[in-house]
Amino acid sequence: MSGTRAADSPAEQNGATPRLCSWTEGEPDENWTLRVTLPASHIPAEAAPGAEREIFVDLNGVTVRRNVPGGIMARCSDPAGVVDGTDGTVETDGTDGTAGAETTMYSIDLSVPRGYRGALRFLPVPRGLEVADRPTWLDVLERGFVPTGHYGLRVVTDMRRKQVFEIAAPDARPLIWTGGDEPESEPSDEAGDGLPSTEEQVVTLGSAPRRIWIHRPQRGPASASVLVVFDGERFIRGGLLTAIDELVSPPSLGIAVDHAPVRNDGPDEDAAIGQRADDLVMNPQFCDDVLALVQQTAPDVTARTIVAGASYGGLAAAFFSLRRPEAFRGICLSPSFWESDAQGRRIWDLVPSRTDSGPNGIVEESETQKSGAHTSEHRVTAAPHPTFCVDHGILETAIADSVAEATEEFASRGIDIAPRPFVGGHEYLWWRELMLVRLAEVLAE
């Protein structure tokens, strides 16, 4: 049985704003059909396509830069005054402001998996573009927009500090994490977020000084694990610290790590991409420095530190657990297991062997750790195997393939992981949700 399912906002019911998204259900085992309808009058002036550009629907994991034509919206003119939410026509004024005039519309139908959740925005792309290389696509992403008007959709600030709509299929499971998303708020103790126990510092980790935020949950047991989060500012802006405080058993301490090098005039955001890669792509010095920071900040905690991250951050979380299995356990979200380190090794090539370990199966300390006030032998319990969990999207093909490859390689080396797929792409909306879910699971063990 098929039909159309979509919820109207009050504005849509009154005809003041057209429906942006309509879902049509096919057979039980078939995908949804999502119709996206955008009035030209709701496109910001600076993003208007003109003669040289087209409008691409950027629906994470569904439309991709490798097939730009698959996301291009068709331009048409519809007579105003018709609203049914299924055929792309809307009740609105014409583009010249005269009621009843023809209205220029952009529309597309997309096949979307059941249970899907992801980010939606619109990109002006060069007309006729078939496949976009990375530099071209990064430039296009900077021009992305959400249309004007109120569509009854939630606006979220993503990892790149861009506003996107949160889109969920009618059968998507409800979110647990729904707070945050304040694009102008600063992750500090004066951000109006009710977190007076959050302290910002500048420390040197790896090759560069950068900001960190240290948060002490009021109900965090002193013996509980420390949490370290990569891309910390992005997750803080999404409400991470508030969410941690609401857990039944919070960590004893949370450390959020930024990757923008701090210069004399503040964080260098232009250098953040390169620094992030240097930090997170299997960097031993960065791992050792983070461990030393944890030891200095929480010297009495004996439980293994939980290190969490997404994409490159997910790769680093696995690497930390492999390099220092007695000190770290990882939460790996969409991990970039396709990457290689400076010696060309993949992540599974770094599984510790007996010859890598000291007495009692503990990996020998680096000089950085030996110089610290507390060594890991005195403060953590040895773990027989590296421990980390993995989640990935079914629509992020390269990540999913590399996770499948890594799962087999890890198993052959005595490490069994059971990756858990989610219905989405390389997606911040899923990462911040699953970080909280997996953190609660680990802390409950």
Side-chain angles (χ1 to χ4, degrees):
M1 182 177 181
S2 63
T4 300
R5 297 173 58 180
D8 292 340
S9 69
E12 288 170 332
Q13 294 170 356
N14 295 332
T17 302
R19 181 181 297 162
L20 186 69
C21 297
S22 297
W23 298 87
T24 301
E25 186 176 19
E27 297 300 323
D29 295 332
E30 294 179 352
N31 287 351
W32 291 91
T33 297
L34 171 63
R35 171 162 291 185
V36 184
T37 306
L38 174 65
S41 57
H42 289 207
I43 299 174
E46 64 274 13
E52 300 299 323
R53 295 185 178 274
E54 300 175 286
I55 299 296
F56 178 90
V57 173
D58 184 20
L59 184 61
N60 197 328
V62 176
T63 58
V64 296
R65 65 182 176 92
R66 296 181 299 277
N67 178 23
V68 176
I72 297 297
M73 303 186 79
R75 184 180 185 275
C76 59
S77 295
D78 286 321
V82 181
V83 177
D84 70 6
T86 61
D87 65 356
T89 56
V90 298
E91 179 180 358
T92 185
D93 289 348
T95 54
D96 62 357
T98 304
E102 285 193 344
T103 303
T104 300
M105 307 293 300
Y106 292 87
S107 181
I108 191 172
D109 288 345
L110 299 171
S111 179
V112 180
R114 289 181 173 271
Y116 175 85
R117 185 180 297 279
L120 168 69
R121 61 175 167 171
F122 300 86
L123 309 176
V125 300
R127 187 172 299 277
L129 183 65
E130 297 282 338
V131 177
D133 58 28
R134 181 173 175 79
T136 298
W137 201 244
L138 289 175
D139 180 66
V140 166
L141 290 175
E142 286 300 311
R143 304 171 186 269
F145 67 92
V146 295
T148 59
H150 301 283
Y151 295 94
L153 297 172
R154 197 156 161 262
V155 177
V156 177
T157 303
D158 69 5
M159 293 284 280
R160 295 179 177 272
R161 300 182 179 177
K162 302 296 184 181
Q163 289 194 327
V164 298
F165 286 128
E166 180 188 322
I167 297 295
D171 60 342
R173 70 170 178 80
L175 289 174
I176 296 173
W177 187 346
T178 58
D181 302 322
E182 296 297 332
E184 300 303 324
S185 66
E186 291 296 331
S188 67
D189 57 358
E190 297 181 355
D193 52 14
L195 300 171
S197 57
T198 302
E199 176 187 358
E200 179 178 333
Q201 297 181 9
V202 174
V203 301
T204 296
L205 301 173
S207 61
R210 80 281 307 290
R211 296 174 297 171
I212 64 168
W213 294 270
I214 299 175
H215 178 61
R216 303 179 188 274
Q218 292 183 353
R219 295 184 297 105
S223 60
S225 294
V226 173
L227 170 67
V228 174
V229 177
F230 305 128
D231 296 303
E233 182 189 21
R234 306 299 194 263
F235 284 102
I236 288 175
R237 287 177 178 271
L240 174 65
L241 302 185
T242 299
I244 288 174
D245 284 350
E246 294 173 354
L247 291 175
V248 174
S249 298
S252 62
L253 185 74
I255 302 175
V257 179
D258 194 29
H259 304 285
V262 174
R263 314 298 190 196
N264 292 335
D265 56 350
D268 184 352
E269 297 297 341
D270 292 336
I273 293 177
Q275 184 63 53
R276 180 174 182 269
D278 182 67
D279 290 342
L280 302 179
V281 180
M282 296 176 276
N283 183 332
Q285 186 62 54
F286 182 71
C287 174
D288 294 346
D289 288 354
V290 170
L291 179 55
L293 172 66
V294 172
Q295 293 173 343
Q296 178 183 0
T297 308
D300 298 324
V301 175
T302 58
R304 281 186 292 172
T305 294
I306 302 167
V307 58
S311 194
Y312 273 176
L315 174 68
F319 174 72
F320 276 40
S321 178
L322 292 169
R323 178 171 171 77
R324 304 291 301 182
E326 83 293 349
F328 292 113
R329 61 184 305 171
I331 297 175
C332 310
L333 307 174
S334 299
S336 299
F337 285 163
W338 54 267
E339 262 286 14
S340 301
D341 69 4
Q343 287 75 46
R345 296 173 296 182
R346 301 286 292 277
I347 183 67
W348 52 79
D349 294 324
L350 305 179
V351 173
S353 66
R354 291 183 180 274
T355 57
D356 297 324
S357 302
N360 302 318
I362 297 177
V363 179
E364 292 289 355
E365 289 194 317
S366 67
E367 291 302 317
T368 300
Q369 294 153 342
K370 288 178 180 178
S371 64
H374 296 266
T375 64
S376 60
E377 288 90 344
H378 293 126
R379 61 184 298 282
V380 297
T381 302
H385 295 288
T387 307
F388 53 92
C389 60
V390 175
D391 293 86
H392 67 87
I394 64 172
L395 299 179
E396 45 180 348
T397 306
I399 296 290
D401 289 347
S402 68
V403 167
E405 183 182 12
T407 301
E408 292 185 4
E409 294 286 352
F410 282 133
S412 70
R413 292 161 172 78
I415 299 176
D416 293 321
I417 60 174
R420 289 172 281 196
F422 56 83
V423 187
H426 205 61
E427 181 58 77
Y428 166 71
L429 294 175
W430 275 108
W431 296 339
R432 67 176 202 167
E433 169 84 353
L434 291 170
M435 182 176 291
L436 180 65
V437 172
R438 302 298 173 239
L439 175 62
E441 291 173 355
V442 172
L443 289 170
E445 292 180 359

